[in-house]
Amino acid sequence: MHMKKFLALILAMILVLSLAACGGGGSGDTGGDTQQGGDTQQDENQEPSGGNDADDAQMSGALSADDIDDTMTSADGTYEIAFVTDVGQLKDKSFNQGTFDGVKLYAAANGLSYKYYQPANATEATDDDRYDAMKAAVDSGAAVVVCAGFMQEGALTRAAAEFPDTKFIFIDGYPLADADGNNLTNVAPIAFKEEQCGYFAGYAVVREGFTKLGFSGGGGGTNDACCRYGYGYVQGANAAAAELGVDVSINYSWQYGAGFSASPELQTMANGWYQSGTEIIFACGGAMFQSIAAAASANDAYVVGVDVDQSSESDAVVTSAMKGLADAVQWAVTKVYDGSWDEIGGVPTSLGAAEDSVGLPTDTWSLENYSISEYEELLASVKSGAFTVDNDFTKLETTDWSNVTLNVI
């Protein structure tokens, strides 16, 4: 079954139509706006440009993010909801895209204008570049700015202190304080329990029969979200291997992932792993997926996707460790407008199985030996709290894994 909508009952009372779950897709467009913005404008109360398709989808009750244009125009040049991208492409079919999907879905459902901003200098963007993008959003009339990724911390701290009347949603974030140590209550930090869906993925692929695994993570080992994904993946693999009485090996690396981008070097590394016997790699880092999936396809091997359901991007995808980016964004933006911002402003929020915010896409996975009913039983135990997945990823290399040989590269 698809991952349930996060707090669907609340959204149903707020939104004027049912909203689609987070997901990939799109044209592969890298996006065009920098911190200076672009030339796309439209009145906030008008429908998005290209609205015929969106209108048709709304009439049928089947609106998805792919039905909504990435860019729109407003008659007065202001934009109500802004999105500032993380490093990498807007349409990365992963973290950026899943987050922007939530912006588009909320805006389209409520007749609001929206715009994305990509900081200058791409993967070499500085805090000044990110701040400039946030300032451009505020200057263009944004009531709320959604910022993706932990790298936004420095720029977001500056922008939130400078623009206290603007609400900022910090995806994969944590509470921020100004220079005087005061909590920035106009920043809502939204994080996820990635260790849970990482566990589900690692457990599933070992139960499927894979014993030679890989993990290639983004952020160079400094991104807590990716660290939680990887630690959960190893825990799940070890648990399944222990149940089956088999030994599992895992190549585990942060190389070539600092910028979360596809690269020849990353593809070469993945290709070498596959040629040396690795059967499946967890591609944990946005557009890094492209390099790893290419290597998998060349070697008749397999991939685990991340953040969103990446099954449509490659036949090599067995399953994906998903978190509800689009749903979480819609839920948080709703609180800007319904008077409940104080519930999340300056308050750490961490979403997991209990909130229907992490899981595996059972409708599209290609697992044959691990059943949906078995997965749902595991999911229910985590959701209820009967079973807890450890999130202290600092213990990864100090843990004495009973059935996993961990090769950290």
Side-chain angles (χ1 to χ4, degrees), residues 28-79:
D29 173 31
T30 60
D33 289 352
T34 65
Q35 75 274 22
Q36 287 79 28
D39 59 0
T40 55
Q41 304 173 355
Q42 179 173 322
D43 182 74
E44 67 178 19
N45 293 317
Q46 293 179 346
E47 293 295 332
S49 61
N52 289 338
D53 290 341
D55 288 347
D56 290 344
Q58 288 190 39
M59 291 292 288
S60 68
L63 183 67
S64 76
D66 291 337
D67 296 318
I68 307 167
D69 287 345
D70 293 333
T71 57
M72 63 171 300
T73 54
S74 67
D76 64 0
T78 65
Y79 297 89

Side-chain angles (χ1 to χ4, degrees), residues 33-350:
D33 289 352
T34 65
Q35 75 274 22
Q36 287 79 28
D39 59 0
T40 55
Q41 304 173 355
Q42 179 173 322
D43 182 74
E44 67 178 19
N45 293 317
Q46 293 179 346
E47 293 295 332
S49 61
N52 289 338
D53 290 341
D55 288 347
D56 290 344
Q58 288 190 39
M59 291 292 288
S60 68
L63 183 67
S64 76
D66 291 337
D67 296 318
I68 307 167
D69 287 345
D70 293 333
T71 57
M72 63 171 300
T73 54
S74 67
D76 64 0
T78 65
Y79 297 89
E80 179 82 0
I81 306 177
F83 173 55
V84 177
T85 68
D86 196 8
V87 293
Q89 302 174 349
L90 174 73
K91 305 309 288 284
D92 60 2
K93 301 182 175 66
S94 187
F95 183 61
N96 276 328
Q97 186 167 333
T99 307
F100 188 45
D101 282 352
V103 170
K104 293 195 299 180
L105 285 163
Y106 186 92
N110 291 276
L112 299 175
S113 55
Y114 59 92
K115 185 173 181 176
Y116 73 88
Y117 299 80
Q118 290 193 282
N121 298 312
T123 58
E124 303 302 318
T126 64
D127 281 349
D128 285 341
D129 295 327
R130 297 183 182 95
Y131 166 81
D132 288 343
M134 296 173 198
K135 183 177 186 302
V138 175
D139 289 345
S140 294
V144 55
V145 182
V146 179
C147 302
F150 77 113
M151 291 182 179
Q152 307 281 7
E153 177 183 351
L156 180 51
T157 300
R158 176 182 172 189
E162 185 173 340
F163 306 111
D165 294 331
T166 303
K167 301 295 192 293
F168 295 86
I169 296 171
F170 186 14
I171 299 297
D172 273 6
Y174 30 81
L176 300 178
D178 65 17
D180 296 322
N182 300 311
N183 187 28
L184 290 167
T185 58
N186 61 330
V187 177
I190 309 296
F192 296 86
K193 294 180 171 67
E194 292 90 357
E195 71 278 2
Q196 293 179 351
C197 50
Y199 185 102
F200 298 148
Y203 185 89
V205 298
V206 172
R207 284 291 305 274
E208 180 68 7
F210 294 103
T211 59
K212 293 179 172 55
L213 282 55
F215 171 86
S216 181
T222 64
N223 181 335
D224 286 1
C226 288
C227 290
R228 288 191 293 267
Y229 268 130
Y231 183 46
Y233 184 66
V234 176
Q235 290 179 75
N238 188 70
E243 289 179 12
L244 295 175
V246 299
D247 293 322
V248 169
S249 61
I250 303 178
N251 284 331
Y252 195 102
S253 178
W254 301 105
Q255 292 190 69
Y256 312 119
F260 299 90
S261 299
S263 70
E265 294 81 7
L266 176 59
Q267 185 168 337
T268 297
M269 183 189 79
N271 187 65
W273 284 9
Y274 285 129
Q275 290 185 354
S276 297
T278 298
E279 299 162 323
I280 187 166
I281 297 174
F282 184 7
C284 186
M288 292 170 62
F289 171 87
Q290 298 167 16
S291 296
I292 295 170
S297 296
N299 289 277
D300 294 323
Y302 300 96
V303 178
V304 173
V306 74
D307 288 339
V308 300
D309 182 1
Q310 295 188 304
S311 61
S312 64
E313 306 308 319
S314 171
D315 291 339
V317 174
V318 170
T319 189
S320 299
M322 295 170 56
K323 59 187 184 184
L325 292 163
D327 286 335
V329 169
Q330 293 167 78
W331 170 76
V333 174
T334 294
K335 291 185 174 296
V336 176
Y337 296 98
D338 72 0
S340 62
W341 176 262
D342 289 347
E343 295 176 3
I344 62 171
V347 178
T349 299
S350 184

